[in-house]
Amino acid sequence: MAMTSAKKTLLLMIFVFVAPIIIGAVMFLNADNLKMGTGTVNYGKLITPPVKIEVDGLEIDGKAADVETTARVKWSLLYLAPEDCDDKCRARIDLLKRLRLVTNENMRRIRTVAVFPQTPENKEKLAFDNPDLLIVTQGENASSFMNQFPNQAENPIYLIDPIGNLMMYYAGDEPDIKRMLKDLKRILKYSHIG
């Protein structure tokens, strides 16, 4: 009788330890069939594959922009401003500034960039209000630069990595700064570049 009880206990212990492994493996291998979520944890929309950014046709203070200043070396939050920078446009630029500031010790790793179709009328005020904003204008041949950015109708803020890859964007009327910050903190924590 004691032997049967010992066998039952042994079988129960094996089941308790092995069953979760088998169930987990079956669920992992059949995630699609079981309709299990396989979404990402990031708030921004990933661009796959990433786009290697070229800055041909862009100008900074009337001179040709170089890719290191505009889209490499640091993480870049880039906004494509409309011809008439209205309240919505200014709110986006303010969001860039606030997002960079709330990264605290990591803000030195982030650059904010606004690309305008032409030099904005209020450039001096814009530069004064946003001292860390790189103000860039489109030159005559900027169409190839503009064509690199998806979903422009959604008025997004783009994220470019320090190697110059366009990798993510944030769209919507009012992107959630807390969720954007969570993405940025996660990226900066695990990235050793920039």
Side-chain angles (χ1 to χ4, degrees):
M1 188 100 169
M3 196 66 159
T4 309
S5 177
K7 285 183 183 178
K8 285 181 182 178
T9 303
L10 179 64
L11 289 173
L12 181 62
M13 287 179 63
I14 290 172
F15 177 77
V16 166
F17 287 107
V18 176
I21 296 169
I22 293 171
I23 292 169
V26 169
M27 290 176 72
F28 176 76
L29 295 172
N30 293 298
D32 291 336
N33 295 339
L34 296 172
K35 305 279 191 250
M36 293 173 63
T38 55
T40 60
V41 295
N42 50 290
Y43 172 58
K45 294 180 179 139
L46 286 173
I47 297 171
T48 52
V51 177
K52 191 74 163 177
I53 293 296
E54 296 298 331
V55 297
D56 298 334
L58 294 187
E59 297 176 356
I60 300 172
D61 295 326
K63 298 176 186 161
D66 66 282
V67 73
E68 279 74 26
T69 304
T70 313
R72 287 197 191 143
V73 181
K74 293 186 176 190
W75 290 89
S76 299
L77 289 167
L78 184 139
Y79 174 61
L80 301 174
E83 193 164 337
D84 176 31
C85 192
D86 57 8
D87 289 342
K88 194 173 188 178
C89 167
R90 286 189 292 278
R92 279 288 200 265
I93 291 171
D94 184 60
L95 179 61
L96 291 177
K97 178 170 87 174
R98 288 186 297 128
L99 193 55
R100 181 178 177 272
L101 289 173
V102 296
T103 58
N104 298 325
E105 70 275 0
N106 283 313
M107 76 176 159
R108 63 180 170 67
R109 297 174 66 189
I110 300 170
R111 164 193 307 122
T112 55
V113 182
V115 180
F116 291 86
Q118 57 194 10
T119 304
E121 291 178 14
N122 62 342
K123 182 180 176 186
E124 291 76 22
K125 181 174 178 7
L126 195 62
F128 180 79
D129 293 343
N130 304 280
D132 295 306
L133 179 69
L134 180 61
I135 299 172
V136 181
T137 55
Q138 298 174 33
E140 292 178 17
N141 302 317
S143 59
S144 61
F145 170 79
M146 295 299 288
N147 291 336
Q148 299 173 103
F149 295 89
N151 301 71
Q152 292 180 32
E154 295 180 36
N155 201 26
I157 289 173
Y158 297 96
L159 179 64
I160 303 170
D161 71 19
I163 301 169
N165 294 313
L166 174 60
M167 55 173 286
M168 187 181 290
Y169 68 93
Y170 300 92
D173 288 337
E174 293 181 27
D176 186 334
I177 190 169
K178 289 180 181 175
R179 293 177 73 187
M180 291 173 77
L181 178 61
K182 190 175 178 182
D183 275 1
L184 269 180
K185 282 186 173 180
R186 187 181 307 114
I187 289 168
L188 294 170
K189 179 179 178 182
Y190 294 109
S191 170
H192 300 291
I193 56 174

